[in-house]
Amino acid sequence: MNLSGLNFSALPEINIIFRFFVCAVLFALGGAFLILISGAEVWQSRWHPNMLAITHCYTLGFITTVMMGALLQILPVIGGIGIPKVKQVANTFLIFHVIGTFSLITSFIWPISTLTIAAIILLFIGYGIYLVALISVLVKKLSQGSSIITIRFALCALLFTLILGLLMVARNLGWQIISFDKYITDMHAIWGIAGWFSLLIIAVSFQIIPMFHVAPEFNERIRNYLPKLISVLLLLVMFSEGHVQELVFLLLLVNSLFIGYLCYLLSLRKRKIPDTTVNFWRLSAVSLITVFILYLLPEKLLMALGVEQPTLTLAAMVIFLYVISIILGMMLKIMPFLSYTHLQQRCLLDFSLMQLLPNMHQFLPPKHGKKLFYLHLCTASVLVLTLIFNQLYLLLAFTLLVEFCWLLVLLMRCKRLYNVTIKNINN
């Protein structure tokens, strides 16, 4: 493992990231439950209230919760400085975020004004606290330039996505602050997926690919120009209403080239031992390139292939097969690594305690990670089939429940071993 240039002296408590990860998994399980009770008709339109709720279970509930928790740990490692009073900021944000997201999801299904107002207020306050704290650190001159710059772009995209989302929710209360149509909704989705999700994945990849896999560093031009190119394309999308399809094509092309190049770097890693995380990266690469090819096909041909809802199908594939595949792979690395690192920092105060330190495979055995990959592969396959044959929704709900229950088991197992070890160290 290559740890050069990284700083582990300002890590926040590990319990913080476990809380974020557990909450994220609970949202994913909630999404599976919604699929279970929503019936086949929900797959006929992306505007169906239950489909909006399901989508936000996985985008705002699972993906964003994992990302916001991981940022608290990543920023001090790659930037050398953490958020002041991180425990208070993290706990406050998590409470507002969880209740606010739950209110938002339920307000899609039951459009009650109280739920909608609660969602707006809670999400606005929660993200306001978190982003102000984060920005106060990011405006400083930090090390690891390209990753930090890309994180700044990603947070700008998150802020814009959040503002558009809250304004659209406010519209449900009759607060018509700006005019809305399908174009604004598409902006919300494009900035969320191609901005917030993709840019943060790229920022983190710059660090973890050489670090965890001992692979070559990313090309300097890619590190410097790729995030700026994506940011420029996103800005153009905002002001080019008549050319959205062409710009989305370019965003898909750029991201496909990036993930392809990333897999090429993984093929050059020094230790070519079996690694489930690499399989997650490969699955995400194949998925995104497939989406890119499908995007190029005429709608008539897609319909002939059984894809009746092209936008819903492509969005679901990007979110679940591309973004969530990467996040699951990262979690398999982050959970044991942080557990080991936190305990190691404690043992460095007394080297005789090193004998109590488990290795990373004890925190998360490779066979358990491999089982998660196969479960995810199974769920992804069923998702694709469900998008064509909607009657398979019950099978999809079942596979989702099994996959994320297993992820929860892995989280609890890792946390339990950490607790036992820290207790032995303190004794």
Side-chain angles (χ1 to χ4, degrees):
M1 187 175 294
N2 183 2
L3 303 179
S4 60
L6 302 179
N7 188 328
F8 298 97
S9 61
L11 283 174
E13 286 182 22
I14 195 169
N15 286 335
I16 292 174
I17 198 165
F18 273 115
R19 284 189 205 110
F20 275 74
F21 284 4
V22 168
C23 289
V25 175
L26 293 178
F27 274 116
L29 290 171
F33 178 72
L34 277 178
I35 291 172
L36 185 69
I37 63 173
S38 294
E41 67 276 9
V42 75
W43 297 91
Q44 290 299 311
S45 170
R46 65 170 170 146
W47 306 109
H48 192 291
N50 285 31
M51 180 52 73
L52 291 174
I54 291 165
T55 302
H56 284 80
C57 277
Y58 290 98
T59 52
L60 190 59
F62 180 73
I63 299 173
T64 301
T65 307
V66 170
M67 286 179 156
M68 299 300 264
L71 263 179
L72 296 171
Q73 299 283 334
I74 292 169
L75 192 60
V77 172
I78 65 176
I81 183 170
I83 294 175
K85 297 182 180 179
V86 62
K87 185 176 180 180
Q88 291 90 330
V89 171
N91 290 340
T92 306
F93 166 75
L94 190 59
I95 291 170
F96 279 83
H97 168 68
V98 167
I99 302 175
T101 303
F102 181 76
S103 302
L104 178 69
I105 291 167
T106 50
S107 72
F108 286 129
I109 303 170
W110 297 288
I112 302 170
S113 299
T114 307
L115 285 173
T116 308
I117 293 171
I120 293 172
I121 294 174
L122 292 168
L123 291 173
F124 179 80
I125 295 175
Y127 279 85
I129 292 171
Y130 189 108
L131 290 176
V132 167
L134 207 57
I135 290 169
S136 69
V137 175
L138 288 171
V139 294
K140 298 174 183 175
K141 188 177 180 180
L142 304 174
S143 57
Q144 304 296 327
S146 56
S147 288
I148 293 296
I149 290 171
T150 311
I151 288 175
R152 288 173 181 147
F153 288 146
L155 288 175
C156 289
L158 170 64
L159 185 60
F160 187 70
T161 307
L162 187 69
I163 290 171
L164 281 183
L166 291 179
L167 288 175
M168 285 192 291
V169 174
R171 178 186 52 179
N172 297 335
L173 298 169
W175 302 346
Q176 194 80 14
I177 300 171
I178 59 174
S179 60
F180 281 98
D181 53 24
K182 183 185 171 188
Y183 173 71
I184 298 295
T185 311
D186 288 343
M187 287 304 98
H188 173 67
I190 291 169
W191 274 75
I193 296 173
W196 165 231
F197 296 161
S198 294
L199 283 172
L200 193 60
I201 286 171
I202 290 169
V204 176
S205 303
F206 288 160
Q207 290 300 322
I208 68 169
I209 296 302
M211 172 184 160
F212 283 133
H213 301 287
V214 199
E217 295 279 351
F218 280 79
N219 181 282
E220 190 175 346
R221 289 185 180 178
I222 290 177
R223 295 174 64 99
N224 289 334
Y225 295 115
L226 180 70
K228 293 173 186 170
L229 174 60
I230 292 175
S231 301
V232 169
L233 289 173
L234 286 168
L235 287 173
L236 289 175
V237 170
M238 279 179 62
F239 302 107
S240 306
E241 187 171 352
H243 302 281
V244 172
Q245 285 192 331
E246 293 86 345
L247 291 166
V248 170
F249 162 79
L250 290 175
L251 284 167
L252 278 171
L253 175 63
V254 170
N255 280 282
S256 298
L257 291 173
F258 165 76
I259 195 72
Y261 176 69
L262 185 150
C263 288
Y264 168 70
L265 290 182
L266 287 173
S267 72
L268 300 178
R269 65 192 193 280
K270 292 181 179 176
R271 297 181 63 203
K272 291 184 174 56
I273 57 175
D275 189 330
T276 302
T277 303
V278 173
N279 292 334
F280 273 109
W281 282 111
R282 288 171 177 157
L283 173 62
S284 66
V286 171
S287 303
L288 189 61
I289 293 168
T290 303
V291 168
F292 176 63
I293 294 170
L294 290 175
Y295 188 78
L296 296 177
L297 298 180
E299 192 166 327
K300 285 185 179 177
L301 183 55
L302 287 175
M303 297 283 281
L305 293 172
V307 180
E308 295 182 359
Q309 298 291 331
T311 305
L312 174 62
T313 300
L314 297 183
M317 289 179 69
V318 170
I319 291 169
F320 196 81
L321 276 71
Y322 175 61
V323 180
I324 292 184
S325 296
I326 291 174
I327 286 181
L328 291 175
M330 286 187 180
M331 289 176 78
L332 288 183
K333 286 292 184 189
I334 290 173
M335 288 190 295
F337 173 73
L338 284 179
S339 300
Y340 178 87
T341 302
H342 277 268
L343 292 170
Q344 186 187 46
Q345 295 294 313
R346 175 68 179 82
C347 291
L348 288 176
L349 301 174
D350 181 352
F351 283 98
S352 65
L353 297 173
M354 284 290 185
Q355 59 181 325
L356 301 175
L357 192 59
N359 62 54
M360 279 194 264
H361 284 172
Q362 289 174 285
F363 285 105
L364 205 159
K367 63 181 181 181
H368 289 179
K370 190 181 294 183
K371 188 179 292 184
L372 180 67
F373 175 74
Y374 288 132
L375 288 173
H376 183 66
L377 200 58
C378 179
T379 307
S381 304
V382 176
L383 171 63
V384 173
L385 290 173
T386 304
L387 288 163
I388 300 172
F389 308 105
N390 302 162
Q391 295 78 8
L392 293 175
Y393 72 94
L394 286 175
L395 182 59
L396 175 62
F398 174 74
T399 55
L400 279 166
L401 285 171
V402 174
E403 177 183 346
F404 285 97
C405 279
W406 180 243
L407 179 59
L408 191 60
V409 168
L410 297 187
L411 271 171
M412 294 295 102
R413 187 184 188 283
C414 193
K415 182 68 170 62
R416 187 172 66 247
L417 181 56
Y418 175 88
N419 288 342
V420 169
T421 308
I422 197 69
K423 185 177 179 181
N424 291 336
I425 289 174
N426 290 332
N427 288 335

